[in-house]
Amino acid sequence: KAGVTQTPRYLIKTRGQQVTLSCSPISGHRSVSWYQQTPGQGLQFLFEYFSETQRNKGNFPGRFSGRQFSNSRSEMNVSTLELGDSALYLCASSLDRLSSGANVLTFGAGSRLTVL
Amino acid sequence: AQKITQTQPGMFVQEKEAVTLDCTYDTSDQSYGLFWYKQPSSGEMIFLIYQGSYDEQNATEGRYSLNFQKARKSANLVISASQLGDSAMYFCAMREASYSGGSNYKLTFGKGTLLTVNP
């Protein structure tokens, strides 16, 4: 069973550019969440998508956006990149929403973004 | 206030010995979930073990067990018989509602503990 696949794994951008990251969840998983990981702030929740709708959003500026397609694949976009956006962006999928029980998030290997 | 506290930035353990990684949490919810994840240098977060707040038994998964002390709000991870491949960053996380009374949940992570297993 294939895991969560994130592309690209590594990318370098310059300030002011925009970037799109892709996430393919485990087959059958309907919920996709995104997290940002930096040395200073640790792991922070960005947003959650379920049934093509954003269900939950973390405390990030509007430059961070995403979407989910009918096949549950998800993309996140960061516009007008800043140096502080350099981070590992982790995508996670789960069968259902993280509302109760041992519904576990399965993470991908991440996309490491460097902004110069 | 920190919701998840991992007080050990780094830990060292000899191969084949047991090690305990500490985690304390803060919540006023009655129903919550606690998770431990492992992150090797490759970056991928690997799920290890889950404990629900109403679970009376401590969770176990192979060499991993969770020492859950609800009154003390602690959920320590115990790794028995450490292996070299256990060297990684370990994160404690709690499922919590995004806002009080809401139905949107997220995982809140601690800062992590870097475990090094020595041969």
Side-chain angles (χ1 to χ4, degrees):
Chain A
K1 190 175 185 181
V4 178
T5 304
Q6 290 188 247
T7 57
R9 290 293 314 280
Y10 303 91
L11 65 166
I12 300 173
K13 294 286 187 178
T14 57
R15 279 181 299 175
Q17 286 186 312
Q18 74 165 13
V19 65
T20 299
L21 309 177
S22 178
C23 173
S24 293
I26 291 173
S27 177
H29 283 196
R30 299 185 296 166
S31 174
V32 174
S33 300
W34 289 88
Y35 287 77
Q36 181 197 62
Q37 186 177 24
T38 59
Q41 298 299 316
L43 282 145
Q44 293 185 285
F45 171 74
L46 278 159
F47 25 63
E48 177 202 8
Y49 286 88
F50 182 82
S51 293
E52 302 178 62
T53 303
Q54 186 182 91
R55 304 289 181 156
N56 197 4
K57 190 175 192 304
N59 189 25
F60 279 82
R63 299 185 297 106
F64 291 80
S65 64
R67 57 178 175 169
Q68 186 181 36
F69 303 95
S70 58
N71 61 358
S72 293
R73 191 177 71 85
S74 176
E75 289 181 347
M76 68 162 281
N77 183 276
V78 188
S79 62
T80 319
L81 284 166
E82 300 176 359
L83 296 179
D85 297 333
S86 294
L88 179 66
Y89 290 88
L90 290 161
C91 167
S93 74
S94 58
L95 274 171
D96 208 331
R97 299 196 64 200
L98 202 67
S99 57
S100 65
N103 202 10
V104 174
L105 289 184
T106 302
F107 285 82
S111 292
R112 187 169 295 281
L113 170 66
T114 301
V115 181
L116 302 176
Chain B
Q2 270 190 307
K3 292 297 186 87
I4 298 285
T5 303
Q6 294 182 253
T7 57
Q8 308 151 313
M11 288 282 286
F12 292 89
V13 65
Q14 288 297 122
E15 194 178 6
K16 299 180 185 177
E17 290 185 351
V19 63
T20 298
L21 306 183
D22 295 341
C23 172
T24 58
Y25 59 92
D26 182 27
T27 182
S28 56
D29 292 345
Q30 295 300 308
S31 177
Y32 51 90
L34 297 157
F35 301 77
W36 276 92
Y37 282 86
K38 169 185 177 182
Q39 187 178 41
S41 55
S42 60
E44 184 174 357
M45 298 281 283
I46 301 167
F47 167 73
L48 296 177
I49 198 166
Y50 165 82
Q51 179 84 40
S53 58
Y54 292 119
D55 295 340
E56 295 186 353
Q57 303 274 4
N58 285 343
T60 60
E61 290 283 353
R63 294 185 301 111
Y64 305 106
S65 61
L66 200 152
N67 185 359
F68 182 47
Q69 298 187 45
K70 195 170 181 177
R72 297 181 60 187
K73 292 188 176 178
S74 76
N76 298 338
L77 177 71
V78 180
I79 305 174
S80 63
S82 297
Q83 303 172 354
L84 295 178
D86 293 335
S87 293
M89 199 75 171
Y90 288 79
F91 291 95
C92 179
M94 179 172 66
R95 179 187 67 236
E96 65 169 351
S98 289
Y99 56 92
S100 180
S103 60
N104 291 324
Y105 289 81
K106 63 178 181 178
L107 287 189
T108 296
F109 287 85
K111 295 294 186 183
T113 296
L114 181 61
L115 176 66
T116 302
V117 181
N118 295 316

Short mmCIF file of all heavy atoms in Angstrom, two decimals, chain B residues 47-98:
data_model
loop_
_atom_site.label_atom_id
_atom_site.label_comp_id
_atom_site.label_asym_id
_atom_site.label_seq_id
_atom_site.Cartn_x
_atom_site.Cartn_y
_atom_site.Cartn_z
N PHE B 47 4.24 7.30 12.72
CA PHE B 47 3.37 7.08 13.87
C PHE B 47 3.86 5.89 14.69
O PHE B 47 4.19 4.84 14.15
CB PHE B 47 1.94 6.83 13.40
CG PHE B 47 1.03 6.29 14.47
CD1 PHE B 47 0.60 7.12 15.50
CD2 PHE B 47 0.63 4.96 14.47
CE1 PHE B 47 -0.23 6.62 16.49
CE2 PHE B 47 -0.20 4.46 15.44
CZ PHE B 47 -0.63 5.29 16.46
N LEU B 48 3.91 6.08 16.00
CA LEU B 48 4.37 5.01 16.88
C LEU B 48 3.25 4.44 17.73
O LEU B 48 3.08 3.21 17.80
CB LEU B 48 5.48 5.53 17.81
CG LEU B 48 6.78 6.00 17.17
CD1 LEU B 48 7.71 6.55 18.22
CD2 LEU B 48 7.43 4.88 16.39
N ILE B 49 2.50 5.31 18.42
CA ILE B 49 1.57 4.81 19.43
C ILE B 49 0.53 5.87 19.75
O ILE B 49 0.79 7.08 19.61
CB ILE B 49 2.36 4.37 20.69
CG1 ILE B 49 1.53 3.46 21.59
CG2 ILE B 49 2.90 5.58 21.45
CD1 ILE B 49 2.37 2.74 22.64
N TYR B 50 -0.66 5.40 20.14
CA TYR B 50 -1.77 6.30 20.46
C TYR B 50 -2.37 5.90 21.81
O TYR B 50 -2.47 4.71 22.15
CB TYR B 50 -2.84 6.21 19.38
CG TYR B 50 -4.17 6.81 19.79
CD1 TYR B 50 -4.37 8.19 19.70
CD2 TYR B 50 -5.21 6.02 20.27
CE1 TYR B 50 -5.57 8.76 20.07
CE2 TYR B 50 -6.42 6.59 20.64
CZ TYR B 50 -6.60 7.95 20.53
OH TYR B 50 -7.79 8.52 20.91
N GLN B 51 -2.79 6.92 22.58
CA GLN B 51 -3.48 6.70 23.85
C GLN B 51 -4.69 7.62 23.91
O GLN B 51 -4.55 8.84 23.79
CB GLN B 51 -2.55 7.02 25.03
CG GLN B 51 -3.17 6.85 26.41
CD GLN B 51 -3.12 5.41 26.90
OE1 GLN B 51 -2.13 4.70 26.72
NE2 GLN B 51 -4.19 4.97 27.54
N GLY B 52 -5.86 7.06 24.09
CA GLY B 52 -7.05 7.86 24.26
C GLY B 52 -7.24 8.20 25.73
O GLY B 52 -6.85 7.43 26.61
N SER B 53 -7.85 9.33 25.99
CA SER B 53 -7.98 9.79 27.37
C SER B 53 -8.85 8.87 28.22
O SER B 53 -8.72 8.83 29.45
CB SER B 53 -8.54 11.22 27.42
OG SER B 53 -9.81 11.28 26.78
N TYR B 54 -9.74 8.10 27.57
CA TYR B 54 -10.61 7.19 28.33
C TYR B 54 -10.07 5.77 28.37
O TYR B 54 -10.70 4.90 28.99
CB TYR B 54 -12.01 7.19 27.72
CG TYR B 54 -12.74 8.51 27.90
CD1 TYR B 54 -13.15 9.26 26.80
CD2 TYR B 54 -13.00 9.02 29.16
CE1 TYR B 54 -13.83 10.46 26.97
CE2 TYR B 54 -13.67 10.22 29.34
CZ TYR B 54 -14.09 10.94 28.24
OH TYR B 54 -14.74 12.13 28.41
N ASP B 55 -8.93 5.55 27.71
CA ASP B 55 -8.35 4.21 27.72
C ASP B 55 -7.79 3.93 29.11
O ASP B 55 -6.96 4.68 29.62
CB ASP B 55 -7.24 4.10 26.68
CG ASP B 55 -7.76 4.24 25.27
OD1 ASP B 55 -8.98 4.05 25.07
OD2 ASP B 55 -6.95 4.54 24.36
N GLU B 56 -8.23 2.82 29.69
CA GLU B 56 -7.78 2.50 31.05
C GLU B 56 -6.42 1.82 31.05
O GLU B 56 -5.67 1.92 32.02
CB GLU B 56 -8.82 1.63 31.75
CG GLU B 56 -10.14 2.35 31.98
CD GLU B 56 -11.12 1.54 32.78
OE1 GLU B 56 -10.82 0.36 33.05
OE2 GLU B 56 -12.19 2.07 33.14
N GLN B 57 -6.13 1.11 29.98
CA GLN B 57 -4.85 0.42 29.88
C GLN B 57 -3.85 1.30 29.16
O GLN B 57 -4.20 2.02 28.22
CB GLN B 57 -5.02 -0.89 29.10
CG GLN B 57 -6.04 -1.84 29.68
CD GLN B 57 -5.42 -2.73 30.74
OE1 GLN B 57 -4.26 -2.57 31.08
NE2 GLN B 57 -6.20 -3.65 31.27
N ASN B 58 -2.60 1.22 29.57
CA ASN B 58 -1.54 1.89 28.83
C ASN B 58 -1.37 1.23 27.47
O ASN B 58 -1.38 0.01 27.35
CB ASN B 58 -0.22 1.82 29.60
CG ASN B 58 -0.19 2.76 30.79
OD1 ASN B 58 -0.99 3.69 30.87
ND2 ASN B 58 0.72 2.53 31.71
N ALA B 59 -1.20 2.06 26.45
CA ALA B 59 -1.04 1.55 25.10
C ALA B 59 0.33 0.90 24.92
O ALA B 59 1.33 1.35 25.50
CB ALA B 59 -1.21 2.67 24.09
N THR B 60 0.36 -0.18 24.14
CA THR B 60 1.63 -0.81 23.79
C THR B 60 1.61 -1.16 22.31
O THR B 60 0.57 -1.53 21.75
CB THR B 60 1.88 -2.10 24.60
OG1 THR B 60 0.81 -3.02 24.33
CG2 THR B 60 1.95 -1.81 26.09
N GLU B 61 2.78 -1.02 21.67
CA GLU B 61 2.95 -1.38 20.26
C GLU B 61 4.36 -1.93 20.11
O GLU B 61 5.31 -1.18 19.95
CB GLU B 61 2.77 -0.17 19.35
CG GLU B 61 1.38 0.38 19.23
CD GLU B 61 0.48 -0.46 18.32
OE1 GLU B 61 0.99 -1.39 17.67
OE2 GLU B 61 -0.73 -0.17 18.28
N GLY B 62 4.50 -3.24 20.20
CA GLY B 62 5.82 -3.83 20.08
C GLY B 62 6.75 -3.36 21.18
O GLY B 62 6.47 -3.52 22.36
N ARG B 63 7.86 -2.73 20.79
CA ARG B 63 8.84 -2.25 21.77
C ARG B 63 8.45 -0.91 22.39
O ARG B 63 9.15 -0.40 23.27
CB ARG B 63 10.22 -2.12 21.12
CG ARG B 63 10.84 -3.44 20.68
CD ARG B 63 12.26 -3.26 20.14
NE ARG B 63 12.32 -2.37 19.00
CZ ARG B 63 12.87 -1.16 19.03
NH1 ARG B 63 13.39 -0.68 20.15
NH2 ARG B 63 12.89 -0.41 17.93
N TYR B 64 7.35 -0.34 21.91
CA TYR B 64 6.91 0.96 22.41
C TYR B 64 5.75 0.79 23.40
O TYR B 64 4.83 0.02 23.14
CB TYR B 64 6.45 1.86 21.26
CG TYR B 64 7.48 2.06 20.18
CD1 TYR B 64 7.34 1.44 18.95
CD2 TYR B 64 8.59 2.87 20.39
CE1 TYR B 64 8.28 1.62 17.95
CE2 TYR B 64 9.54 3.05 19.39
CZ TYR B 64 9.38 2.42 18.18
OH TYR B 64 10.31 2.60 17.20
N SER B 65 5.81 1.50 24.48
CA SER B 65 4.68 1.56 25.39
C SER B 65 4.54 3.00 25.88
O SER B 65 5.49 3.77 25.87
CB SER B 65 4.88 0.61 26.58
OG SER B 65 6.04 0.96 27.31
N LEU B 66 3.32 3.32 26.24
CA LEU B 66 3.03 4.67 26.68
C LEU B 66 2.64 4.62 28.15
O LEU B 66 1.68 3.94 28.51
CB LEU B 66 1.89 5.27 25.82
CG LEU B 66 1.77 6.78 25.80
CD1 LEU B 66 1.15 7.25 24.49
CD2 LEU B 66 0.93 7.26 26.97
N ASN B 67 3.38 5.31 28.97
CA ASN B 67 3.09 5.38 30.41
C ASN B 67 2.17 6.57 30.64
O ASN B 67 2.62 7.71 30.75
CB ASN B 67 4.39 5.53 31.19
CG ASN B 67 4.16 5.50 32.70
OD1 ASN B 67 3.02 5.38 33.16
ND2 ASN B 67 5.22 5.60 33.46
N PHE B 68 0.87 6.28 30.70
CA PHE B 68 -0.16 7.32 30.77
C PHE B 68 -0.57 7.54 32.21
O PHE B 68 -1.10 6.64 32.86
CB PHE B 68 -1.36 6.91 29.92
CG PHE B 68 -2.48 7.89 29.87
CD1 PHE B 68 -2.25 9.24 29.63
CD2 PHE B 68 -3.80 7.48 30.03
CE1 PHE B 68 -3.28 10.15 29.55
CE2 PHE B 68 -4.85 8.37 29.95
CZ PHE B 68 -4.59 9.72 29.72
N GLN B 69 -0.32 8.75 32.72
CA GLN B 69 -0.74 9.11 34.07
C GLN B 69 -1.64 10.33 33.95
O GLN B 69 -1.17 11.48 33.91
CB GLN B 69 0.48 9.39 34.94
CG GLN B 69 1.38 8.16 35.10
CD GLN B 69 2.49 8.38 36.10
OE1 GLN B 69 2.28 8.91 37.20
NE2 GLN B 69 3.70 7.99 35.73
N LYS B 70 -2.92 10.05 33.89
CA LYS B 70 -3.91 11.07 33.57
C LYS B 70 -3.92 12.20 34.59
O LYS B 70 -4.02 13.37 34.24
CB LYS B 70 -5.29 10.42 33.47
CG LYS B 70 -6.34 11.26 32.80
CD LYS B 70 -7.59 10.42 32.55
CE LYS B 70 -8.67 11.23 31.85
NZ LYS B 70 -9.85 10.38 31.55
N ALA B 71 -3.88 11.86 35.87
CA ALA B 71 -3.95 12.89 36.92
C ALA B 71 -2.76 13.83 36.85
O ALA B 71 -2.87 15.01 37.14
CB ALA B 71 -4.03 12.23 38.29
N ARG B 72 -1.63 13.31 36.43
CA ARG B 72 -0.41 14.13 36.31
C ARG B 72 -0.29 14.74 34.92
O ARG B 72 0.64 15.50 34.66
CB ARG B 72 0.82 13.28 36.61
CG ARG B 72 0.88 12.72 38.01
CD ARG B 72 2.14 11.92 38.22
NE ARG B 72 3.35 12.72 38.00
CZ ARG B 72 4.58 12.24 37.99
NH1 ARG B 72 4.78 10.95 38.16
NH2 ARG B 72 5.62 13.02 37.79
N LYS B 73 -1.21 14.39 34.03
CA LYS B 73 -1.19 14.87 32.65
C LYS B 73 0.17 14.57 32.00
O LYS B 73 0.82 15.47 31.45
CB LYS B 73 -1.54 16.36 32.58
CG LYS B 73 -2.99 16.64 32.95
CD LYS B 73 -3.38 18.08 32.70
CE LYS B 73 -4.85 18.27 33.00
NZ LYS B 73 -5.29 19.67 32.81
N SER B 74 0.57 13.34 32.12
CA SER B 74 1.81 12.94 31.48
C SER B 74 1.58 11.71 30.61
O SER B 74 0.71 10.87 30.91
CB SER B 74 2.91 12.67 32.50
OG SER B 74 2.72 11.44 33.15
N ALA B 75 2.34 11.63 29.54
CA ALA B 75 2.20 10.52 28.58
C ALA B 75 3.59 10.18 28.07
O ALA B 75 3.95 10.50 26.93
CB ALA B 75 1.29 10.95 27.42
N ASN B 76 4.36 9.54 28.90
CA ASN B 76 5.75 9.26 28.56
C ASN B 76 5.87 8.04 27.65
O ASN B 76 5.17 7.05 27.82
CB ASN B 76 6.57 9.01 29.83
CG ASN B 76 6.61 10.23 30.74
OD1 ASN B 76 6.38 11.35 30.29
ND2 ASN B 76 6.87 10.00 32.00
N LEU B 77 6.77 8.13 26.70
CA LEU B 77 7.03 7.02 25.79
C LEU B 77 8.19 6.19 26.33
O LEU B 77 9.24 6.74 26.66
CB LEU B 77 7.39 7.54 24.40
CG LEU B 77 7.77 6.47 23.36
CD1 LEU B 77 6.54 5.66 22.96
CD2 LEU B 77 8.41 7.11 22.12
N VAL B 78 7.99 4.89 26.40
CA VAL B 78 9.04 3.98 26.83
C VAL B 78 9.43 3.10 25.64
O VAL B 78 8.58 2.45 25.03
CB VAL B 78 8.60 3.09 28.01
CG1 VAL B 78 9.73 2.16 28.43
CG2 VAL B 78 8.15 3.94 29.19
N ILE B 79 10.70 3.12 25.31
CA ILE B 79 11.23 2.26 24.26
C ILE B 79 12.09 1.19 24.93
O ILE B 79 13.07 1.51 25.62
CB ILE B 79 12.08 3.04 23.24
CG1 ILE B 79 11.30 4.21 22.66
CG2 ILE B 79 12.53 2.10 22.11
CD1 ILE B 79 12.12 5.11 21.75
N SER B 80 11.70 -0.05 24.76
CA SER B 80 12.49 -1.13 25.37
C SER B 80 13.52 -1.63 24.37
O SER B 80 13.34 -1.50 23.15
CB SER B 80 11.57 -2.27 25.78
OG SER B 80 10.95 -2.83 24.64
N ALA B 81 14.61 -2.16 24.86
CA ALA B 81 15.63 -2.77 24.01
C ALA B 81 15.98 -1.89 22.81
O ALA B 81 15.74 -2.25 21.65
CB ALA B 81 15.17 -4.15 23.54
N SER B 82 16.53 -0.71 23.10
CA SER B 82 16.82 0.27 22.04
C SER B 82 17.71 -0.33 20.95
O SER B 82 18.60 -1.15 21.22
CB SER B 82 17.53 1.48 22.65
OG SER B 82 16.70 2.14 23.57
N GLN B 83 17.45 0.13 19.73
CA GLN B 83 18.23 -0.28 18.57
C GLN B 83 18.85 0.95 17.92
O GLN B 83 18.35 2.07 18.10
CB GLN B 83 17.33 -1.02 17.56
CG GLN B 83 16.62 -2.22 18.13
CD GLN B 83 15.60 -2.79 17.17
OE1 GLN B 83 15.33 -2.23 16.10
NE2 GLN B 83 15.02 -3.93 17.54
N LEU B 84 19.92 0.73 17.17
CA LEU B 84 20.59 1.87 16.52
C LEU B 84 19.62 2.64 15.63
O LEU B 84 19.69 3.86 15.52
CB LEU B 84 21.79 1.39 15.71
CG LEU B 84 22.93 0.76 16.51
CD1 LEU B 84 24.04 0.29 15.57
CD2 LEU B 84 23.48 1.73 17.54
N GLY B 85 18.70 1.92 15.02
CA GLY B 85 17.73 2.55 14.14
C GLY B 85 16.70 3.41 14.87
O GLY B 85 15.90 4.09 14.23
N ASP B 86 16.72 3.37 16.20
CA ASP B 86 15.80 4.21 16.97
C ASP B 86 16.30 5.64 17.09
O ASP B 86 15.57 6.52 17.55
CB ASP B 86 15.60 3.63 18.39
CG ASP B 86 14.88 2.31 18.39
OD1 ASP B 86 14.11 2.03 17.44
OD2 ASP B 86 15.08 1.53 19.36
N SER B 87 17.53 5.88 16.68
CA SER B 87 18.07 7.25 16.73
C SER B 87 17.25 8.14 15.82
O SER B 87 17.17 7.91 14.60
CB SER B 87 19.54 7.25 16.30
OG SER B 87 20.34 6.58 17.23
N ALA B 88 16.62 9.14 16.39
CA ALA B 88 15.71 10.02 15.65
C ALA B 88 15.16 11.08 16.59
O ALA B 88 15.43 11.06 17.78
CB ALA B 88 14.55 9.21 15.06
N MET B 89 14.35 11.96 16.01
CA MET B 89 13.61 12.95 16.80
C MET B 89 12.27 12.32 17.14
O MET B 89 11.63 11.69 16.29
CB MET B 89 13.42 14.21 15.95
CG MET B 89 13.09 15.44 16.74
SD MET B 89 14.52 16.07 17.61
CE MET B 89 13.85 17.61 18.20
N TYR B 90 11.83 12.51 18.39
CA TYR B 90 10.56 11.95 18.83
C TYR B 90 9.64 13.09 19.28
O TYR B 90 10.02 13.93 20.09
CB TYR B 90 10.77 10.96 19.98
CG TYR B 90 11.39 9.67 19.51
CD1 TYR B 90 12.76 9.59 19.26
CD2 TYR B 90 10.61 8.55 19.27
CE1 TYR B 90 13.33 8.42 18.79
CE2 TYR B 90 11.17 7.36 18.81
CZ TYR B 90 12.53 7.31 18.58
OH TYR B 90 13.10 6.15 18.12
N PHE B 91 8.42 13.06 18.75
CA PHE B 91 7.45 14.11 19.05
C PHE B 91 6.23 13.53 19.75
O PHE B 91 5.66 12.51 19.32
CB PHE B 91 6.99 14.81 17.77
CG PHE B 91 8.05 15.64 17.11
CD1 PHE B 91 8.82 15.11 16.09
CD2 PHE B 91 8.27 16.95 17.51
CE1 PHE B 91 9.80 15.87 15.47
CE2 PHE B 91 9.25 17.72 16.90
CZ PHE B 91 10.02 17.17 15.89
N CYS B 92 5.83 14.20 20.81
CA CYS B 92 4.57 13.93 21.47
C CYS B 92 3.54 14.91 20.91
O CYS B 92 3.87 16.08 20.65
CB CYS B 92 4.74 14.13 22.98
SG CYS B 92 3.27 13.87 23.97
N ALA B 93 2.33 14.44 20.68
CA ALA B 93 1.31 15.31 20.11
C ALA B 93 -0.04 15.03 20.76
O ALA B 93 -0.30 13.93 21.23
CB ALA B 93 1.20 15.11 18.59
N MET B 94 -0.87 16.04 20.78
CA MET B 94 -2.21 15.90 21.35
C MET B 94 -3.25 16.35 20.34
O MET B 94 -3.08 17.39 19.68
CB MET B 94 -2.33 16.75 22.62
CG MET B 94 -3.70 16.70 23.28
SD MET B 94 -3.71 17.51 24.89
CE MET B 94 -3.40 19.20 24.43
N ARG B 95 -4.30 15.57 20.22
CA ARG B 95 -5.42 15.99 19.39
C ARG B 95 -6.26 16.94 20.22
O ARG B 95 -6.68 16.61 21.32
CB ARG B 95 -6.27 14.80 18.96
CG ARG B 95 -7.46 15.17 18.11
CD ARG B 95 -8.37 13.98 17.86
NE ARG B 95 -9.02 13.52 19.06
CZ ARG B 95 -8.93 12.28 19.51
NH1 ARG B 95 -8.20 11.39 18.87
NH2 ARG B 95 -9.55 11.94 20.60
N GLU B 96 -6.47 18.12 19.70
CA GLU B 96 -7.29 19.08 20.43
C GLU B 96 -8.16 19.85 19.45
O GLU B 96 -7.85 19.95 18.27
CB GLU B 96 -6.39 20.05 21.21
CG GLU B 96 -5.51 20.94 20.34
CD GLU B 96 -4.85 22.05 21.12
OE1 GLU B 96 -5.19 22.27 22.30
OE2 GLU B 96 -3.99 22.73 20.56
N ALA B 97 -9.25 20.38 19.99
CA ALA B 97 -10.15 21.19 19.18
C ALA B 97 -9.48 22.51 18.85
O ALA B 97 -8.74 23.07 19.67
CB ALA B 97 -11.45 21.43 19.93
N SER B 98 -9.75 22.99 17.65
CA SER B 98 -9.15 24.25 17.23
C SER B 98 -9.68 25.41 18.05
O SER B 98 -9.02 26.41 18.21
CB SER B 98 -9.41 24.49 15.75
OG SER B 98 -8.65 23.60 14.97
#
